[in-house]
Amino acid sequence: MEREDEQKGQTMEAEAEVKEKKGFFSRLVKGLQKTSMQIGSGVESIFQRFSSLDQEFYEEIEEILVLADVGVHTSMSIVEELKKKVKEQKIKKPDECRELLMQSMVQQMDLGENSYLFEEKTSVLLLVGVNGVGKTTSTAKLAANLKAQGKKVLLAAADTFRAAATEQLSEWAKKTGVELIAHQEGSDPAAVIYDAVSAAKSRKTDVLLCDTAGRLHNKKNLMEELKKIDRIIQKEFPNAHQEVFVVVDGTTGQNALEQVRQFQEVTQLSGIILTKLDGTAKGGVAVAIQAELGVPVKYIGIGEKADDLQKFNAKEYVQALLQKVD
Ligand SMILES: Nc1nc2c(ncn2[C@@H]2O[C@H](COP(=O)(O)OP(=O)(O)OP(=O)(O)O)[C@@H](O)[C@H]2O)c(=O)[nH]1
Ligand SMILES: [Mg+2]
């Protein structure tokens, strides 16, 4: 009887997980509606209109991908891959290309298994990015996510640029029930990091999440500040697993690629958090980032609430992009 109950419990848990996954997927599809309209419905209409796989057919597919922010270079590579697969598999009809197009897109984004090692270790995560992309919100979402997994989380308010920044993170800390290390407005952010690292060590924190101020690559002093923060973490917490995530706003399109490149120049990036995919974002940018820069997208943000953050899955994402919208 006990075993039966246990099995029942497990089934319900599994069902809840599937439901949650489905829920997130449909929200992702909804968020990416604009892109799905372009790619999913666009491609579908090409499949219907063309009766043979001629040059024009491929050109139209490429055009649709470019318009959805996949980027010229990556779009060309996807179409090349598609052509290759069509030839290999001796496909004759456009209508039979659906699955092959999806495979070609996923293949472009393949960076091996996306790892979330930091979840298993004592780690420090630094979130960087330009102004307003969603760094603070993503820091809070990650905190909520890790806390739900039973981890001991600590937040560092290293955006001392504006008083409101610390207040914003402090409110999130209260809401999510995690501790926060903060200094006064105008103080040295590196000092906040120093204190936060000491606290993380003495409190036996699992994951220390550091929010930082928005910075542009042409503000040299701010980029220097970032290097200093990086150095402090490496020096003071050498045993911790360290990662730097750059947060980019999905609605900025190809500009997001440029932002990632600029941060790559000053720090060793381990991943990307792509936000605001619930808005007007043309989600193709995630494909371009992984294909052209080789930096893995780790998380995607699809809203402003604590649970609006999801681990990135390339196959699922491409499925959402290719979803036909009526
Ligand atoms: N719709 C939507 N809004 C988001 C998402 N992520 C963040 N935002 C909103 O974007 C705005 C800016 O977010 P912040 O987290 O303050 O951005 P930031 O990068 O910390 O900004 P600065 O510290 O000023 O550089 C806020 O209104 C957030 O609620 C998202 O995934 N979807
Ligand atoms: Mg902020």
Side-chain angles (χ1 to χ4, degrees):
M1 191 65 190
E2 238 172 55
R3 242 181 101 187
E4 244 176 51
D5 278 353
E6 199 180 303
Q7 275 178 350
K8 213 171 169 187
Q10 279 171 356
T11 316
M12 276 166 71
E13 243 174 56
E15 276 171 4
E17 206 174 292
V18 170
K19 220 171 171 183
E20 194 192 309
K21 267 208 156 155
K22 266 195 185 156
F24 196 91
F25 185 74
S26 58
R27 276 156 69 208
L28 177 61
V29 171
K30 203 160 168 247
L32 292 175
Q33 204 155 21
K34 205 174 162 200
T35 323
S36 307
M37 203 89 95
Q38 258 165 8
I39 307 189
S41 306
V43 163
E44 198 56 42
S45 115
I46 297 176
F47 288 157
Q48 305 298 333
R49 272 188 292 120
F50 283 81
S51 53
S52 67
L53 294 161
D54 53 24
Q55 187 57 22
E56 214 177 315
F57 166 80
Y58 289 115
E59 275 170 15
E60 286 209 19
I61 293 211
E62 191 177 308
E63 197 181 313
I64 280 185
L65 294 174
V66 172
L67 285 174
D69 264 347
V70 175
V72 176
H73 184 75
T74 309
S75 300
M76 276 166 68
S77 306
I78 291 170
V79 169
E80 280 314 309
E81 192 55 47
L82 176 64
K83 279 185 189 165
K84 207 172 111 200
K85 287 190 195 328
V86 161
K87 206 169 163 197
E88 274 167 11
Q89 300 183 25
K90 302 189 171 50
I91 303 278
K92 295 276 177 286
K93 292 196 192 106
D95 199 33
E96 290 162 1
C97 289
R98 274 186 199 86
E99 182 67 24
L100 296 186
L101 176 62
M102 182 152 80
Q103 284 171 12
S104 308
M105 287 174 79
V106 175
Q107 198 169 328
Q108 282 299 312
M109 301 165 84
D110 186 20
L111 298 176
E113 188 75 9
N114 208 351
S115 80
Y116 297 88
L117 258 183
F118 71 90
E119 287 184 334
E120 315 303 326
K121 303 187 169 201
T122 299
S123 38
V124 183
L125 260 58
L126 192 63
L127 278 84
V128 303
V130 306
N131 297 303
V133 286
K135 294 177 294 299
T136 307
T137 314
S138 300
T139 306
K141 288 175 181 174
L142 271 174
N145 185 303
L146 291 162
K147 186 162 184 264
Q149 292 179 39
K151 309 275 176 214
K152 194 160 186 232
V153 183
L154 183 65
L155 296 175
D159 179 0
T160 56
F161 211 57
R162 303 172 293 120
T166 299
E167 262 168 49
Q168 186 190 356
L169 194 65
S170 157
E171 266 174 40
W172 273 113
K174 272 189 223 137
K175 230 190 286 182
T176 47
V178 300
E179 292 178 61
L180 169 90
I181 301 292
H183 285 189
Q184 282 189 338
E185 181 189 353
S187 57
D188 183 356
V192 177
I193 296 293
Y194 187 90
D195 279 356
V197 166
S198 307
K201 284 197 277 195
S202 66
R203 296 179 195 181
K204 306 222 175 322
T205 299
D206 294 314
V207 186
L208 169 62
L209 296 168
C210 311
D211 182 29
T212 63
R215 62 198 74 226
L216 283 173
H217 66 280
N218 55 8
K219 293 272 190 304
K220 203 163 176 290
N221 54 337
L222 281 173
M223 284 310 214
E224 286 302 320
E225 182 187 284
L226 197 58
K227 285 190 196 164
K228 190 171 158 192
I229 290 175
D230 236 356
R231 276 200 302 272
I232 288 182
I233 298 174
Q234 280 168 29
K235 183 156 172 271
E236 300 300 323
F237 213 174
N239 297 332
H241 174 85
Q242 295 160 14
E243 301 217 19
V244 182
F245 288 171
V246 63
V247 183
V248 289
D249 175 342
T251 60
T252 53
Q254 291 294 299
N255 200 0
L257 264 84
E258 200 44 45
Q259 289 173 20
V260 177
R261 279 198 191 98
Q262 307 289 357
F263 280 93
Q264 261 179 326
E265 278 174 24
V266 284
T267 177
Q268 184 111 36
L269 294 178
S270 47
I272 290 165
I273 299 181
L274 186 61
T275 63
K276 310 193 191 181
L277 291 178
D278 53 315
T280 54
K282 293 195 268 168
V285 69
V287 186
I289 283 179
Q290 294 220 154
E292 288 185 30
L293 306 181
V295 185
V297 176
K298 298 270 183 188
Y299 290 94
I300 46 174
I302 57 156
E304 298 180 83
K305 292 196 298 301
D307 61 351
D308 289 333
L309 187 80
Q310 181 81 350
K311 281 181 183 164
F312 185 73
N313 175 317
K315 192 156 177 232
E316 213 172 78
Y317 190 82
V318 170
Q319 266 169 354
L321 287 182
L322 289 174
Q323 197 88 2
K324 193 170 130 260
V325 179
D326 296 318

